Every structure is written in structure tokens, then in C-alpha cells.
Amino acid sequence: MGNILIKNITAVTMSDSSGVIENAYIVINGNLIEYIGKEKPETEDFDYVIDGENKVVMPGLVNTHTHLAMTLLRSYADDMNLQDWLFNKIFPFEDKLMADDILKGSEIGVDEMLAGGTTCFNDMYMFQAETGRVALKKGIRAVLSDCVNFDGYDRKVKLMETMAEEFKNEDLISFTFSPHAIYTCSFDVLKKCSDYAKSNDMSIHTHLAETQTEFDDCVKERGMTPTEYMETTGIFDSPTIAAHCVCMTDNDLEILKKHNVSVVHNPISNLKLASGVAPITKMIDMGINVALGTDGASSNNSLDMFEEMKVAAILHKGITLDPTVMNAWTVLKMATVNGAKALGFDNLGVLKQGYLADMIILDFNSPHLMPNNNTVSNLVYAAKSSDVEYTIVNGKLVYNRQTKDR
Ligand SMILES: [Zn+2]
């Protein structure tokens, strides 16, 4: 780590008060943003100087729901419905995965994310210590959880505790506790997860109400919706990150709001598995914190947050027949500050003095970004992940498109 100066750049701060600052200067000292504004520093005596001409800087993207090492299953099982895909293709494949496989899959995933502007990811998978080691080696911020399903509760608690010990001094690594879903965990397991999270002051990361089948089965078996049922397990008493939330009643949305549950929208995965479209505009109107994720590379099939932002923005305009919903600023917030908030960070996701220095710099000197009439719109509707030129995490330059360093 050292000092980095970014000069004369267009800064999309993601702060509602600061907005976009033209001809900005950013000073990074250690892992923090020391200065952002229009004043030119008196010296250019920095370890690294980036000239921001024709470039745009914004907070790093936060992929708030993924299963990173599922890169190994990219294009392995496509064009199938979720239950068939999961139980007949994915789970049997995953049963054979070993720690070494997860290491390889994680390396592919982290490389893809850093090159595409993602600086932080929230993972739910297996052999997470391997993923943590890869994250540290490559310098990306990771929130990890070795996911509990079926009868694996005791084993997973042990794994999580071993990992907490291994990474206890690492700034880049933190944890959630993850019951996979209501259809892979019994009531007792969900209750145990809830109690564990509460007594260890942890957040929960889970799948919720992803498909109509999950919704209908839950109502038939228990006389409750998945969200109502999850509430009875006590899970929502801990800070909760719920991925998908596609099949929701108005009462379900009230439950999420009441417990301050953060929702992760994964529009491409939901569309590809034909699960439906989550009522995101209603959630936003109610003040629910909505973040954005890619889900795993098996159901997406990439970890590209720029694609995810564009789809999120246009999908809801089409569904609601209202082009004013999900404007570019709202979607950028979902992919940055809302994700950081869901993960419990209060100093991430905004370019602001004193905040963690996680940011990306895009090269806007490309035909598909010309003319730049509106930087925020161009970021959501026209930019591509391949426009990312530099990725900085925790004050460290971890990807440079020119040199392909990572
Ligand atoms: Zn998922």
C-alpha cells in the first residue's frame, strides 16, 4: 500500500449530496480516501499517479449474491428449470467438488470480477477457506459463508469457526452465516442457524422465495408463504441478506420492511431460470434496501455487474410499462452503496473522505461511450465491464487493463 493520486477525472461519487464532480482529484493514503474534491494537491509526489483525462471513477461494484466457484459450472447445464437444474445437475456435480476445485473456480471468478470492476463480493458456497485465500492473494474484498444445507449444520459451524480464526487479522475478509434456503434446510436447522447468528452477532445470507414452486410448496405444506415461514424461524432477528425475493405478497414485503431485511436482486439469473421478476420497484418505494448480484456463473452465466445493472434498469421499465422507474442513479446505488450497506459496511460504496478506497476507473475514450452527454446514464446503459481500466481495492491497485496485472 502507499499513496495514489488520481487527477483531473470525472468522479461519480454515489453520494446524493456530492453527485458527480468534474475535474476531480482523489488522494488515497493507505486503505482510505484521504481527499476527494476539485483542489489540486500541492505535490505530485505519490507512489502512483493516474491521469484521469477521458476517464471516470466510481466506487467499486459490490456483487451482493454469488457462488463464486460455480464458475466451474459455467455452461454446464443451461436452458433448464431451477428445480430440475439444481437437483439433477448442480447438486450431483457439487457433491464431487474438492477443495482444490474450489480454489481453481475461485481464481477464475476473482479474475473475472476484478477485470470487470467488482471490488467486493458476498459468497455462499463450500470450502470457503480456499475462496478466502484466493481473495487475499488477489486483493479483492470478500464476505464468505460456508453454506448450510440438509444435515450439514454442525460441520459447517466448525468450518466457519476455523475460518474466522484463520482470517481474523485480515481487513479484506468478513463472514455471514448462510442457511441455503427453506427447501434445503429443515425448520430445526433454520432455527439453529438463527440462534447461532444471534449469539455470534453475525448477519444471515440466504435464498428466499426464488420460484413459484418454492412458494406453492411452502403454502401447501405449512399454510404460510416462504417469507412468513422464514420469519417464524427467527432468522430475520439478525441482519439478513435475502437473495431473489421473486414471489412476494404485500404482507411478505411488509415483513421484510419490518425486519430491515436487505434484498439482493439477481435479474439475469431469475430470467435465465425463468423464475420470474422480483417486485423491486415496490420494495424501493417502501424503503427496503435493495442490492444487486449476479448469482453463480452457472445461472447467469457471467459475473458481470455492468450487464446486471443494465438488465435491472430496463427489465422493470418493461414490466411496469413505466420508463421513469429504476433510473440510472438508483441502479448504480444498488450496485454500490446499497450492497455495502447490506453487508454491514458504513464506510464503503461511496467516494468520500475517510471511506475505504475501493474504486474503479473506466476509460470513456471509446465510440460506444461518445458523446458523453450524461456520465451516470452512460455507466448504466452503455458502459461495458471491459471499459474498466483500473481496479483499486483497500487502497491497492489490483487490476490494470494495460498490463493485465492482477
Ligand atoms: Zn444463489
Side-chain angles (χ1 to χ4, degrees):
M1 258 182 293
N3 300 334
I4 300 177
L5 169 67
I6 304 166
K7 58 180 188 179
N8 196 28
I9 197 162
T10 301
V12 177
T13 63
M14 298 321 299
S15 145
D16 286 329
S17 53
S18 304
V20 178
I21 307 173
E22 300 291 346
N23 306 116
Y25 291 83
I26 297 176
V27 174
I28 297 170
N29 193 357
N31 67 338
L32 299 177
I33 299 171
E34 187 176 86
Y35 172 77
I36 174 165
K38 291 178 90 69
E39 295 294 320
K40 187 177 177 179
E42 285 170 9
T43 165
E44 285 204 7
D45 186 18
F46 290 87
D47 296 336
Y48 203 89
V49 178
I50 296 173
D51 184 348
E53 196 181 350
N54 287 324
K55 299 190 202 307
V56 171
V57 63
M58 64 172 284
L61 299 166
V62 180
N63 187 345
T64 313
H65 177 69
T66 189
H67 315 280
L68 188 67
M70 281 187 99
T71 49
L72 299 171
L73 290 102
R74 200 187 324 254
S75 66
Y76 171 70
D78 295 326
D79 312 321
M80 300 172 74
N81 84 55
L82 186 137
Q83 302 293 329
D84 188 16
W85 170 81
L86 196 57
F87 285 90
N88 297 324
K89 297 293 281 189
I90 303 303
F91 284 160
F93 185 104
E94 289 179 337
D95 281 345
K96 299 186 195 118
L97 292 176
M98 305 300 287
D100 267 4
D101 302 316
I102 300 303
L103 187 145
K104 281 274 175 293
S106 299
E107 284 182 339
I108 295 167
V110 171
D111 284 348
E112 181 180 0
M113 287 196 294
L114 288 177
T118 294
T119 54
C120 177
F121 67 102
N122 183 31
D123 206 34
M124 178 206 285
Y125 212 45
M126 59 180 99
F127 298 110
Q128 288 277 274
E130 299 295 337
T131 303
R133 287 171 205 144
V134 170
L136 278 185
K137 189 176 86 181
K138 293 181 179 280
I140 195 169
R141 199 176 295 283
V143 183
L144 306 173
S145 55
D146 225 298
C147 161
V148 177
N149 51 21
F150 305 110
D151 53 2
Y153 173 79
D154 292 327
R155 196 168 57 84
K156 291 306 175 88
V157 164
K158 256 188 217 137
L159 277 173
M160 290 296 294
E161 289 178 350
T162 309
M163 266 200 301
E165 182 59 26
E166 177 177 345
F167 297 108
K168 68 180 177 199
N169 296 320
E170 303 296 348
D171 280 359
L172 289 176
I173 309 287
S174 53
F175 303 97
T176 64
F177 202 71
S178 281
H180 175 266
I182 61 162
Y183 56 88
T184 45
C185 295
S186 66
F187 182 86
D188 280 351
V189 168
L190 291 170
K191 185 82 181 57
K192 279 196 220 169
C193 292
S194 156
D195 292 344
Y196 185 85
K198 261 182 261 179
S199 52
N200 290 279
D201 210 10
M202 291 178 82
S203 296
I204 292 273
H205 178 197
T206 191
H207 295 101
L208 182 65
E210 184 173 357
T211 64
Q212 195 64 46
T213 305
E214 176 187 340
F215 185 94
D216 292 345
D217 287 352
C218 189
V219 169
K220 200 168 135 199
E221 284 166 33
R222 306 179 182 103
M224 288 179 267
T225 68
T227 306
E228 289 165 353
Y229 173 63
M230 197 66 108
E231 187 184 29
T232 67
T233 68
I235 288 276
F236 296 153
D237 296 341
S238 294
T240 301
I241 303 152
H244 303 301
C245 300
V246 171
C247 299
M248 307 297 288
T249 64
D250 285 347
N251 185 50
D252 291 340
L253 295 178
E254 290 294 343
I255 291 172
L256 297 187
K257 172 75 182 153
K258 184 172 82 186
H259 294 281
N260 282 323
V261 171
S262 285
V263 171
V264 188
H265 188 31
N266 305 269
I268 295 180
S269 176
N270 296 152
L271 287 170
K272 180 160 178 280
L273 289 165
S275 301
V277 178
I280 297 299
T281 51
K282 266 192 191 178
M283 294 178 196
I284 291 173
D285 286 347
M286 289 172 69
I288 293 170
N289 183 46
V290 183
L292 200 63
T294 59
D295 211 353
S298 180
S299 60
N300 187 300
N301 289 5
S302 64
L303 304 173
D304 185 333
M305 288 288 286
F306 280 93
E307 273 186 9
E308 209 70 40
M309 284 195 288
K310 182 166 179 175
V311 170
I314 61 177
L315 171 63
H316 295 279
K317 299 179 199 303
I319 292 288
T320 60
L321 302 180
D322 180 356
T324 67
V325 300
M326 298 287 270
N327 64 39
W329 184 256
T330 301
V331 174
L332 272 183
K333 282 184 90 164
M334 287 168 62
T336 53
V337 62
N338 293 7
K341 186 177 165 195
L343 298 175
F345 293 100
D346 58 6
N347 58 348
L348 184 73
V350 176
L351 299 182
K352 186 175 173 181
Q353 190 177 327
Y355 272 46
L356 291 167
D358 288 15
M359 63 188 80
I360 57 176
I361 296 172
L362 291 93
D363 176 14
F364 262 44
N365 192 23
S366 288
H368 65 269
L369 292 167
M370 289 176 185
N372 185 23
N373 288 310
N374 183 316
T375 306
V376 170
S377 286
N378 257 352
L379 281 170
V380 172
Y381 296 115
K384 302 174 191 304
S385 57
S386 54
D387 297 321
V388 173
E389 193 169 356
Y390 299 99
T391 303
I392 294 169
V393 183
N394 215 32
K396 203 170 165 193
L397 183 60
V398 289
Y399 172 75
N400 178 342
R401 192 178 63 179
Q402 305 302 325
T403 59
K404 302 282 182 203
D405 281 347
R406 47 178 88 113

Short mmCIF file of all heavy atoms in Angstrom, two decimals, residues 218-254:
data_model
loop_
_atom_site.label_atom_id
_atom_site.label_comp_id
_atom_site.label_asym_id
_atom_site.label_seq_id
_atom_site.Cartn_x
_atom_site.Cartn_y
_atom_site.Cartn_z
N CYS A 218 -44.45 -24.32 -0.16
CA CYS A 218 -44.43 -23.82 1.22
C CYS A 218 -45.86 -23.55 1.71
O CYS A 218 -46.23 -23.95 2.81
CB CYS A 218 -43.58 -22.56 1.30
SG CYS A 218 -43.28 -22.00 2.99
N VAL A 219 -46.66 -22.94 0.85
CA VAL A 219 -48.05 -22.63 1.23
C VAL A 219 -48.81 -23.95 1.44
O VAL A 219 -49.56 -24.10 2.42
CB VAL A 219 -48.73 -21.77 0.14
CG1 VAL A 219 -50.23 -21.66 0.38
CG2 VAL A 219 -48.10 -20.37 0.11
N LYS A 220 -48.56 -24.94 0.57
CA LYS A 220 -49.27 -26.22 0.66
C LYS A 220 -48.85 -26.98 1.94
O LYS A 220 -49.70 -27.50 2.67
CB LYS A 220 -48.91 -27.06 -0.58
CG LYS A 220 -49.89 -28.17 -0.88
CD LYS A 220 -49.63 -28.73 -2.25
CE LYS A 220 -49.66 -30.27 -2.18
NZ LYS A 220 -49.00 -30.88 -3.32
N GLU A 221 -47.56 -27.02 2.22
CA GLU A 221 -47.08 -27.81 3.35
C GLU A 221 -47.28 -27.12 4.69
O GLU A 221 -47.50 -27.77 5.71
CB GLU A 221 -45.57 -28.09 3.20
CG GLU A 221 -45.25 -29.17 2.19
CD GLU A 221 -43.76 -29.17 1.82
OE1 GLU A 221 -42.92 -28.84 2.69
OE2 GLU A 221 -43.46 -29.48 0.65
N ARG A 222 -47.18 -25.79 4.71
CA ARG A 222 -47.12 -25.10 6.01
C ARG A 222 -48.22 -24.06 6.19
O ARG A 222 -48.32 -23.46 7.27
CB ARG A 222 -45.76 -24.42 6.18
CG ARG A 222 -44.59 -25.39 5.98
CD ARG A 222 -43.25 -24.71 6.13
NE ARG A 222 -42.17 -25.66 5.88
CZ ARG A 222 -41.45 -25.73 4.77
NH1 ARG A 222 -41.68 -24.88 3.79
NH2 ARG A 222 -40.50 -26.64 4.64
N GLY A 223 -48.98 -23.82 5.12
CA GLY A 223 -50.03 -22.80 5.23
C GLY A 223 -49.45 -21.39 5.34
O GLY A 223 -50.12 -20.46 5.81
N MET A 224 -48.19 -21.23 4.95
CA MET A 224 -47.53 -19.91 5.03
C MET A 224 -46.70 -19.68 3.78
O MET A 224 -46.23 -20.66 3.18
CB MET A 224 -46.56 -19.86 6.22
CG MET A 224 -47.18 -19.82 7.58
SD MET A 224 -45.89 -19.80 8.86
CE MET A 224 -45.73 -21.52 9.20
N THR A 225 -46.46 -18.42 3.45
CA THR A 225 -45.55 -18.12 2.34
C THR A 225 -44.11 -18.37 2.83
O THR A 225 -43.87 -18.42 4.04
CB THR A 225 -45.67 -16.64 1.92
OG1 THR A 225 -45.15 -15.84 2.99
CG2 THR A 225 -47.10 -16.25 1.59
N PRO A 226 -43.14 -18.50 1.92
CA PRO A 226 -41.75 -18.68 2.36
C PRO A 226 -41.27 -17.57 3.30
O PRO A 226 -40.56 -17.83 4.28
CB PRO A 226 -40.96 -18.65 1.03
CG PRO A 226 -41.93 -19.17 0.02
CD PRO A 226 -43.26 -18.62 0.45
N THR A 227 -41.69 -16.34 3.03
CA THR A 227 -41.25 -15.21 3.87
C THR A 227 -41.89 -15.29 5.25
O THR A 227 -41.22 -15.08 6.28
CB THR A 227 -41.60 -13.88 3.18
OG1 THR A 227 -41.03 -13.90 1.86
CG2 THR A 227 -41.05 -12.68 3.93
N GLU A 228 -43.21 -15.63 5.29
CA GLU A 228 -43.88 -15.78 6.60
C GLU A 228 -43.23 -16.91 7.39
O GLU A 228 -42.98 -16.80 8.59
CB GLU A 228 -45.37 -16.09 6.38
CG GLU A 228 -46.16 -14.91 5.87
CD GLU A 228 -47.55 -15.29 5.32
OE1 GLU A 228 -47.85 -16.51 5.20
OE2 GLU A 228 -48.31 -14.37 4.98
N TYR A 229 -42.92 -18.00 6.70
CA TYR A 229 -42.30 -19.16 7.35
C TYR A 229 -40.90 -18.80 7.87
O TYR A 229 -40.54 -19.13 9.01
CB TYR A 229 -42.23 -20.31 6.33
CG TYR A 229 -41.46 -21.52 6.80
CD1 TYR A 229 -41.89 -22.27 7.89
CD2 TYR A 229 -40.31 -21.93 6.13
CE1 TYR A 229 -41.17 -23.39 8.31
CE2 TYR A 229 -39.60 -23.05 6.53
CZ TYR A 229 -40.03 -23.78 7.62
OH TYR A 229 -39.33 -24.87 8.03
N MET A 230 -40.11 -18.14 7.04
CA MET A 230 -38.76 -17.75 7.46
C MET A 230 -38.83 -16.88 8.71
O MET A 230 -37.99 -16.99 9.61
CB MET A 230 -38.05 -17.03 6.31
CG MET A 230 -36.56 -16.93 6.44
SD MET A 230 -35.69 -18.50 6.38
CE MET A 230 -34.92 -18.43 4.76
N GLU A 231 -39.84 -16.01 8.77
CA GLU A 231 -39.96 -15.14 9.94
C GLU A 231 -40.15 -15.97 11.22
O GLU A 231 -39.59 -15.65 12.27
CB GLU A 231 -41.14 -14.17 9.76
CG GLU A 231 -41.22 -13.12 10.87
CD GLU A 231 -42.43 -12.22 10.77
OE1 GLU A 231 -43.49 -12.66 10.26
OE2 GLU A 231 -42.35 -11.06 11.23
N THR A 232 -40.89 -17.10 11.11
CA THR A 232 -41.14 -17.91 12.31
C THR A 232 -39.88 -18.60 12.82
O THR A 232 -39.83 -19.04 13.96
CB THR A 232 -42.21 -19.01 12.05
OG1 THR A 232 -41.68 -19.97 11.12
CG2 THR A 232 -43.51 -18.44 11.53
N THR A 233 -38.84 -18.71 11.98
CA THR A 233 -37.60 -19.36 12.43
C THR A 233 -36.72 -18.41 13.23
O THR A 233 -35.74 -18.84 13.82
CB THR A 233 -36.76 -19.85 11.22
OG1 THR A 233 -36.28 -18.71 10.51
CG2 THR A 233 -37.55 -20.74 10.30
N GLY A 234 -37.04 -17.12 13.21
CA GLY A 234 -36.23 -16.13 13.94
C GLY A 234 -35.05 -15.61 13.12
O GLY A 234 -34.30 -14.75 13.58
N ILE A 235 -34.89 -16.13 11.90
CA ILE A 235 -33.76 -15.70 11.05
C ILE A 235 -33.71 -14.18 10.91
O ILE A 235 -32.64 -13.57 11.01
CB ILE A 235 -33.88 -16.36 9.64
CG1 ILE A 235 -33.57 -17.86 9.71
CG2 ILE A 235 -33.05 -15.63 8.59
CD1 ILE A 235 -32.13 -18.25 9.65
N PHE A 236 -34.88 -13.57 10.70
CA PHE A 236 -34.90 -12.12 10.42
C PHE A 236 -34.54 -11.28 11.65
O PHE A 236 -34.43 -10.05 11.55
CB PHE A 236 -36.27 -11.68 9.90
CG PHE A 236 -36.65 -12.28 8.57
CD1 PHE A 236 -38.00 -12.45 8.23
CD2 PHE A 236 -35.68 -12.67 7.65
CE1 PHE A 236 -38.35 -13.00 7.00
CE2 PHE A 236 -36.02 -13.23 6.43
CZ PHE A 236 -37.38 -13.39 6.10
N ASP A 237 -34.37 -11.92 12.82
CA ASP A 237 -33.98 -11.15 14.00
C ASP A 237 -32.52 -10.72 13.90
O ASP A 237 -32.08 -9.82 14.62
CB ASP A 237 -34.19 -11.97 15.29
CG ASP A 237 -35.66 -12.29 15.50
OD1 ASP A 237 -36.50 -11.59 14.89
OD2 ASP A 237 -35.97 -13.24 16.24
N SER A 238 -31.74 -11.41 13.03
CA SER A 238 -30.38 -10.96 12.75
C SER A 238 -30.42 -10.15 11.45
O SER A 238 -31.32 -10.35 10.64
CB SER A 238 -29.44 -12.16 12.55
OG SER A 238 -29.32 -12.86 13.76
N PRO A 239 -29.44 -9.26 11.22
CA PRO A 239 -29.41 -8.55 9.93
C PRO A 239 -29.37 -9.59 8.81
O PRO A 239 -28.54 -10.49 8.84
CB PRO A 239 -28.09 -7.76 9.99
CG PRO A 239 -27.75 -7.68 11.45
CD PRO A 239 -28.31 -8.91 12.09
N THR A 240 -30.31 -9.49 7.86
CA THR A 240 -30.45 -10.55 6.87
C THR A 240 -30.31 -10.02 5.45
O THR A 240 -30.84 -8.95 5.13
CB THR A 240 -31.82 -11.26 7.01
OG1 THR A 240 -31.90 -11.81 8.32
CG2 THR A 240 -31.99 -12.38 5.99
N ILE A 241 -29.58 -10.79 4.64
CA ILE A 241 -29.46 -10.52 3.20
C ILE A 241 -30.21 -11.65 2.50
O ILE A 241 -29.80 -12.81 2.57
CB ILE A 241 -27.98 -10.53 2.78
CG1 ILE A 241 -27.18 -9.51 3.60
CG2 ILE A 241 -27.84 -10.27 1.29
CD1 ILE A 241 -25.72 -9.89 3.76
N ALA A 242 -31.34 -11.31 1.87
CA ALA A 242 -32.18 -12.32 1.23
C ALA A 242 -32.06 -12.19 -0.29
O ALA A 242 -32.42 -11.16 -0.86
CB ALA A 242 -33.63 -12.15 1.67
N ALA A 243 -31.53 -13.24 -0.91
CA ALA A 243 -31.37 -13.19 -2.37
C ALA A 243 -32.67 -13.60 -3.06
O ALA A 243 -33.37 -14.49 -2.59
CB ALA A 243 -30.25 -14.14 -2.79
N HIS A 244 -32.97 -12.91 -4.12
CA HIS A 244 -34.08 -13.18 -5.05
C HIS A 244 -35.38 -12.50 -4.65
O HIS A 244 -35.77 -11.53 -5.25
CB HIS A 244 -34.27 -14.68 -5.29
CG HIS A 244 -33.03 -15.33 -5.80
ND1 HIS A 244 -32.42 -14.94 -6.96
CD2 HIS A 244 -32.23 -16.31 -5.28
CE1 HIS A 244 -31.32 -15.64 -7.17
NE2 HIS A 244 -31.17 -16.47 -6.15
N CYS A 245 -36.14 -13.06 -3.66
CA CYS A 245 -37.42 -12.47 -3.25
C CYS A 245 -38.29 -12.18 -4.47
O CYS A 245 -38.80 -11.06 -4.64
CB CYS A 245 -37.20 -11.21 -2.42
SG CYS A 245 -36.25 -11.54 -0.91
N VAL A 246 -38.46 -13.20 -5.31
CA VAL A 246 -39.25 -13.04 -6.54
C VAL A 246 -40.75 -13.15 -6.24
O VAL A 246 -41.55 -12.33 -6.70
CB VAL A 246 -38.83 -14.11 -7.58
CG1 VAL A 246 -39.79 -14.11 -8.78
CG2 VAL A 246 -37.39 -13.87 -8.04
N CYS A 247 -41.12 -14.19 -5.47
CA CYS A 247 -42.55 -14.45 -5.23
C CYS A 247 -42.94 -13.87 -3.88
O CYS A 247 -42.74 -14.51 -2.83
CB CYS A 247 -42.83 -15.95 -5.27
SG CYS A 247 -42.42 -16.65 -6.87
N MET A 248 -43.45 -12.68 -3.89
CA MET A 248 -43.73 -11.95 -2.65
C MET A 248 -45.16 -11.42 -2.63
O MET A 248 -45.60 -10.78 -3.59
CB MET A 248 -42.78 -10.74 -2.54
CG MET A 248 -41.30 -11.05 -2.68
SD MET A 248 -40.66 -12.12 -1.40
CE MET A 248 -40.65 -11.04 0.02
N THR A 249 -45.87 -11.63 -1.52
CA THR A 249 -47.16 -10.96 -1.32
C THR A 249 -46.89 -9.59 -0.69
O THR A 249 -45.77 -9.32 -0.24
CB THR A 249 -48.03 -11.77 -0.34
OG1 THR A 249 -47.38 -11.78 0.94
CG2 THR A 249 -48.24 -13.20 -0.82
N ASP A 250 -47.94 -8.76 -0.64
CA ASP A 250 -47.76 -7.45 0.01
C ASP A 250 -47.36 -7.64 1.47
O ASP A 250 -46.54 -6.90 2.01
CB ASP A 250 -49.05 -6.62 -0.09
CG ASP A 250 -49.24 -6.08 -1.51
OD1 ASP A 250 -48.26 -6.14 -2.31
OD2 ASP A 250 -50.35 -5.62 -1.83
N ASN A 251 -47.96 -8.67 2.12
CA ASN A 251 -47.62 -8.93 3.52
C ASN A 251 -46.15 -9.35 3.65
O ASN A 251 -45.47 -8.96 4.60
CB ASN A 251 -48.54 -10.02 4.10
CG ASN A 251 -48.29 -10.23 5.58
OD1 ASN A 251 -48.27 -9.28 6.36
ND2 ASN A 251 -48.04 -11.48 5.97
N ASP A 252 -45.66 -10.14 2.68
CA ASP A 252 -44.24 -10.55 2.70
C ASP A 252 -43.33 -9.31 2.66
O ASP A 252 -42.33 -9.24 3.38
CB ASP A 252 -43.90 -11.43 1.49
CG ASP A 252 -44.57 -12.79 1.57
OD1 ASP A 252 -44.96 -13.21 2.69
OD2 ASP A 252 -44.70 -13.45 0.51
N LEU A 253 -43.69 -8.37 1.81
CA LEU A 253 -42.87 -7.15 1.71
C LEU A 253 -42.89 -6.38 3.03
O LEU A 253 -41.87 -5.84 3.46
CB LEU A 253 -43.37 -6.26 0.56
CG LEU A 253 -43.23 -6.86 -0.85
CD1 LEU A 253 -43.81 -5.90 -1.89
CD2 LEU A 253 -41.77 -7.15 -1.19
N GLU A 254 -44.06 -6.36 3.68
CA GLU A 254 -44.15 -5.68 4.99
C GLU A 254 -43.23 -6.37 6.00
O GLU A 254 -42.60 -5.71 6.83
CB GLU A 254 -45.60 -5.70 5.51
CG GLU A 254 -46.57 -4.81 4.72
CD GLU A 254 -46.25 -3.32 4.85
OE1 GLU A 254 -45.50 -2.94 5.77
OE2 GLU A 254 -46.71 -2.54 4.01
#
